[in-house]
Amino acid sequence: MEEIIVIGLCIGINALLAAVEMAFVSVGKPHLRELAKSGNADAQKVLSLREKPERTLSVIQVGITLVGALAAAVGGAGAEEWLRPLIQNRFGSSENTAEAIAILLVVLPITYLSVVVGELVPKTLGLRDPLTIVLRAAKWLVLFDRILSPIVFALEWSTRKFLNIFWRLRLVSAKEHLTPTTDMAEKFDALSAQHKQYVFNLVNLEKKRVTD
Protein backbone atom coordinates (compact mmCIF):
# COMPACT_ATOMS: atom_id res chain seq x y z
CA MET A 1 0.00 0.00 0.00
CA GLU A 2 2.84 2.39 0.84
CA GLU A 3 4.40 1.74 -2.57
CA ILE A 4 1.20 2.76 -4.36
CA ILE A 5 1.01 6.00 -2.38
CA VAL A 6 4.64 6.85 -3.13
CA ILE A 7 4.23 6.10 -6.83
CA GLY A 8 1.07 8.21 -6.96
CA LEU A 9 2.84 11.13 -5.29
CA CYS A 10 5.74 10.83 -7.72
CA ILE A 11 3.41 10.89 -10.73
CA GLY A 12 1.58 13.88 -9.24
CA ILE A 13 4.83 15.81 -8.69
CA ASN A 14 5.94 14.86 -12.20
CA ALA A 15 2.69 16.28 -13.56
CA LEU A 16 3.20 19.58 -11.74
CA LEU A 17 6.77 19.88 -12.97
CA ALA A 18 5.77 19.04 -16.55
CA ALA A 19 3.04 21.69 -16.51
CA VAL A 20 5.44 24.29 -15.12
CA GLU A 21 8.12 23.38 -17.66
CA MET A 22 5.76 23.82 -20.61
CA ALA A 23 4.28 27.02 -19.16
CA PHE A 24 7.75 28.46 -18.55
CA VAL A 25 8.84 28.05 -22.17
CA SER A 26 5.44 29.10 -23.59
CA VAL A 27 4.66 32.27 -21.64
CA GLY A 28 5.33 35.51 -23.49
CA LYS A 29 7.78 38.07 -22.18
CA PRO A 30 5.72 41.13 -23.17
CA HIS A 31 2.86 40.12 -20.88
CA LEU A 32 5.29 39.36 -18.08
CA ARG A 33 6.91 42.79 -18.48
CA GLU A 34 3.51 44.47 -18.23
CA LEU A 35 2.70 42.62 -15.03
CA ALA A 36 6.17 43.32 -13.63
CA LYS A 37 5.78 47.06 -14.31
CA SER A 38 2.46 47.01 -12.48
CA GLY A 39 4.22 45.60 -9.40
CA ASN A 40 3.57 41.87 -9.75
CA ALA A 41 6.39 40.23 -7.78
CA ASP A 42 5.84 36.78 -9.30
CA ALA A 43 6.14 38.20 -12.82
CA GLN A 44 9.40 39.89 -11.85
CA LYS A 45 10.73 36.56 -10.57
CA VAL A 46 9.74 34.76 -13.76
CA LEU A 47 11.41 37.45 -15.87
CA SER A 48 14.63 37.06 -13.89
CA LEU A 49 14.45 33.31 -14.41
CA ARG A 50 13.90 33.78 -18.14
CA GLU A 51 17.26 35.57 -18.35
CA LYS A 52 18.90 32.14 -17.97
CA PRO A 53 16.27 29.65 -19.15
CA GLU A 54 18.67 26.71 -19.27
CA ARG A 55 19.21 27.06 -15.53
CA THR A 56 15.49 26.95 -14.70
CA LEU A 57 14.91 24.09 -17.12
CA SER A 58 17.72 22.23 -15.39
CA VAL A 59 15.97 22.70 -12.04
CA ILE A 60 12.75 21.29 -13.45
CA GLN A 61 14.54 18.44 -15.20
CA VAL A 62 16.35 17.43 -12.01
CA GLY A 63 13.00 17.22 -10.23
CA ILE A 64 11.41 15.17 -13.02
CA THR A 65 14.37 12.81 -13.12
CA LEU A 66 14.40 12.31 -9.35
CA VAL A 67 10.68 11.56 -9.03
CA GLY A 68 10.81 9.30 -12.09
CA ALA A 69 13.72 7.33 -10.66
CA LEU A 70 11.99 7.09 -7.27
CA ALA A 71 8.76 5.81 -8.82
CA ALA A 72 10.67 3.19 -10.84
CA ALA A 73 12.69 2.07 -7.81
CA VAL A 74 9.66 1.78 -5.56
CA GLY A 75 7.67 -0.01 -8.26
CA GLY A 76 10.48 -2.48 -8.92
CA ALA A 77 10.95 -3.14 -5.21
CA GLY A 78 7.22 -3.72 -4.76
CA ALA A 79 7.10 -6.12 -7.68
CA GLU A 80 10.04 -8.07 -6.27
CA GLU A 81 8.78 -8.06 -2.70
CA TRP A 82 5.12 -9.04 -2.85
CA LEU A 83 3.96 -9.54 -6.46
CA ARG A 84 6.60 -12.08 -7.55
CA PRO A 85 5.95 -14.53 -4.68
CA LEU A 86 2.21 -14.22 -5.29
CA ILE A 87 2.53 -15.13 -8.96
CA GLN A 88 5.01 -17.87 -8.21
CA ASN A 89 2.78 -19.51 -5.60
CA ARG A 90 -0.49 -19.04 -7.45
CA PHE A 91 0.60 -20.25 -10.89
CA GLY A 92 3.57 -22.43 -9.95
CA SER A 93 5.92 -20.61 -12.34
CA SER A 94 9.66 -20.38 -11.98
CA GLU A 95 11.27 -17.56 -10.06
CA ASN A 96 12.62 -15.83 -13.16
CA THR A 97 9.30 -16.06 -14.98
CA ALA A 98 7.35 -14.79 -11.98
CA GLU A 99 9.79 -11.90 -11.58
CA ALA A 100 9.49 -10.92 -15.25
CA ILE A 101 5.68 -11.01 -15.11
CA ALA A 102 5.62 -9.06 -11.84
CA ILE A 103 7.86 -6.32 -13.21
CA LEU A 104 5.77 -6.16 -16.39
CA LEU A 105 2.55 -5.84 -14.40
CA VAL A 106 4.06 -2.96 -12.43
CA VAL A 107 5.95 -1.17 -15.21
CA LEU A 108 3.10 -1.01 -17.73
CA PRO A 109 0.58 0.82 -15.48
CA ILE A 110 3.29 3.16 -14.13
CA THR A 111 4.43 3.95 -17.68
CA TYR A 112 0.89 4.63 -18.84
CA LEU A 113 0.07 6.89 -15.91
CA SER A 114 3.43 8.66 -16.18
CA VAL A 115 2.93 9.42 -19.86
CA VAL A 116 -0.74 10.41 -19.75
CA VAL A 117 -1.22 11.85 -16.26
CA GLY A 118 2.37 12.89 -15.63
CA GLU A 119 3.24 14.36 -19.05
CA LEU A 120 0.56 14.78 -21.73
CA VAL A 121 -2.29 16.22 -19.65
CA PRO A 122 -0.20 18.71 -17.61
CA LYS A 123 1.78 19.86 -20.65
CA THR A 124 -1.45 20.51 -22.52
CA LEU A 125 -2.69 22.57 -19.57
CA GLY A 126 0.63 24.40 -19.51
CA LEU A 127 0.19 25.34 -23.17
CA ARG A 128 -3.39 26.53 -22.68
CA ASP A 129 -2.79 28.73 -19.65
CA PRO A 130 0.96 29.27 -19.28
CA LEU A 131 0.78 32.62 -17.49
CA THR A 132 -1.33 31.44 -14.57
CA ILE A 133 0.72 28.29 -14.04
CA VAL A 134 4.14 29.92 -14.25
CA LEU A 135 3.17 32.76 -11.90
CA ARG A 136 1.94 30.32 -9.28
CA ALA A 137 5.14 28.32 -9.59
CA ALA A 138 7.53 31.30 -9.53
CA LYS A 139 8.27 31.15 -5.80
CA TRP A 140 8.89 27.40 -5.90
CA LEU A 141 11.19 27.70 -8.89
CA VAL A 142 13.30 30.30 -7.11
CA LEU A 143 13.39 28.14 -3.96
CA PHE A 144 14.39 24.98 -5.85
CA ASP A 145 16.98 26.97 -7.78
CA ARG A 146 18.67 27.86 -4.49
CA ILE A 147 18.44 24.36 -3.04
CA LEU A 148 19.67 22.60 -6.17
CA SER A 149 22.20 25.28 -7.05
CA PRO A 150 25.31 22.98 -7.14
CA ILE A 151 23.58 20.38 -9.30
CA VAL A 152 22.05 23.03 -11.53
CA PHE A 153 25.42 24.74 -11.97
CA ALA A 154 26.97 21.45 -13.14
CA LEU A 155 24.11 20.81 -15.57
CA GLU A 156 24.22 24.37 -16.87
CA TRP A 157 27.97 24.17 -17.44
CA SER A 158 27.62 20.81 -19.20
CA THR A 159 24.82 22.11 -21.41
CA ARG A 160 26.92 25.05 -22.59
CA LYS A 161 29.91 22.83 -23.29
CA PHE A 162 27.85 20.42 -25.40
CA LEU A 163 26.26 23.34 -27.26
CA ASN A 164 29.72 24.77 -28.01
CA ILE A 165 30.84 21.40 -29.36
CA PHE A 166 27.68 21.15 -31.46
CA TRP A 167 28.13 24.58 -33.03
CA ARG A 168 31.80 23.92 -33.73
CA LEU A 169 30.89 20.70 -35.54
CA ARG A 170 28.31 22.58 -37.58
CA LEU A 171 30.87 25.22 -38.56
CA VAL A 172 33.35 22.55 -39.62
CA SER A 173 30.65 20.79 -41.64
CA ALA A 174 29.66 24.06 -43.30
CA LYS A 175 33.27 24.76 -44.30
CA GLU A 176 33.61 21.27 -45.75
CA HIS A 177 30.51 21.76 -47.88
CA LEU A 178 31.33 25.15 -49.37
CA THR A 179 29.58 25.67 -52.69
CA PRO A 180 31.54 26.39 -55.88
CA THR A 181 30.12 29.93 -55.81
CA THR A 182 31.74 30.51 -52.45
CA ASP A 183 35.05 29.13 -53.67
CA MET A 184 34.91 31.36 -56.75
CA ALA A 185 34.13 34.40 -54.62
CA GLU A 186 37.12 33.69 -52.39
CA LYS A 187 39.37 33.32 -55.44
CA PHE A 188 38.01 36.53 -56.93
CA ASP A 189 38.72 38.42 -53.71
CA ALA A 190 42.32 37.23 -53.88
CA LEU A 191 42.86 38.87 -57.30
CA SER A 192 44.56 42.21 -57.66
CA ALA A 193 42.59 45.31 -58.62
CA GLN A 194 43.89 45.18 -62.20
CA HIS A 195 42.88 41.54 -62.69
CA LYS A 196 39.46 42.25 -61.17
CA GLN A 197 38.97 44.99 -63.79
CA TYR A 198 39.85 42.50 -66.55
CA VAL A 199 37.15 40.17 -65.25
CA PHE A 200 34.60 42.98 -65.16
CA ASN A 201 35.50 43.93 -68.74
CA LEU A 202 35.01 40.34 -69.90
CA VAL A 203 31.62 40.17 -68.20
CA ASN A 204 30.55 43.41 -69.89
CA LEU A 205 31.68 42.08 -73.26
CA GLU A 206 29.62 38.92 -72.83
CA LYS A 207 26.54 40.96 -71.96
CA LYS A 208 26.80 43.08 -75.12
CA ARG A 209 24.69 41.96 -78.06
CA VAL A 210 26.05 41.77 -81.61
CA THR A 211 24.06 43.94 -83.97
CA ASP A 212 24.03 43.91 -87.77
Side-chain angles (χ1 to χ4, degrees):
M1 186 64 181
E2 292 82 2
E3 290 87 354
I4 298 177
I5 295 175
V6 173
I7 292 173
L9 288 174
C10 289
I11 293 176
I13 295 173
N14 193 102
L16 293 174
L17 294 173
V20 172
E21 179 182 27
M22 187 58 65
F24 180 77
V25 299
S26 302
V27 69
K29 280 188 175 182
H31 202 172
L32 288 173
R33 290 193 184 99
E34 292 179 3
L35 292 174
K37 289 180 180 179
S38 63
N40 191 307
D42 292 332
Q44 294 172 358
K45 292 176 182 177
V46 175
L47 277 176
S48 64
L49 293 174
R50 285 291 295 267
E51 294 300 324
K52 292 184 177 181
E54 67 275 6
R55 183 177 181 85
T56 303
L57 292 175
S58 297
V59 172
I60 298 173
Q61 196 58 51
V62 167
I64 292 175
T65 303
L66 288 177
V67 296
L70 180 60
V74 172
E80 177 67 23
E81 182 178 352
W82 57 271
L83 193 54
R84 180 188 59 78
L86 180 64
I87 295 174
Q88 191 173 0
N89 295 332
R90 180 66 62 88
F91 300 100
S93 57
S94 64
E95 182 177 351
N96 292 334
T97 302
E99 183 177 356
I101 295 174
I103 293 176
L104 190 64
L105 291 175
V106 171
V107 169
L108 287 179
I110 292 177
T111 303
Y112 172 80
L113 292 174
S114 298
V115 172
V116 177
V117 180
E119 292 286 342
L120 296 180
V121 173
K123 285 186 175 181
T124 302
L125 295 175
L127 283 173
R128 291 183 178 180
D129 193 9
L131 184 62
T132 301
I133 293 175
V134 78
L135 289 179
R136 291 184 177 180
K139 296 178 182 178
W140 294 101
L141 287 175
V142 173
L143 177 62
F144 290 149
D145 179 79
R146 293 175 181 174
I147 295 175
L148 301 175
S149 182
I151 299 176
V152 171
F153 175 79
L155 292 175
E156 185 180 9
W157 179 83
S158 302
T159 301
R160 290 177 178 175
K161 288 297 182 182
F162 279 114
L163 286 175
N164 289 335
I165 294 173
F166 173 75
W167 287 117
R168 287 175 183 174
L169 291 176
R170 287 199 61 180
L171 289 175
V172 171
S173 177
K175 290 181 179 180
E176 291 177 352
H177 295 84
L178 287 174
T179 61
T181 304
T182 305
D183 291 337
M184 292 176 63
E186 291 181 351
K187 292 178 180 179
F188 182 77
D189 290 337
L191 295 175
S192 63
Q194 184 177 5
H195 286 89
K196 287 180 181 180
Q197 189 60 46
Y198 289 155
V199 174
F200 287 136
N201 293 337
L202 289 174
V203 172
N204 290 331
L205 286 173
E206 290 182 356
K207 287 183 178 179
K208 292 180 181 179
R209 298 178 61 181
V210 177
T211 58
D212 294 334

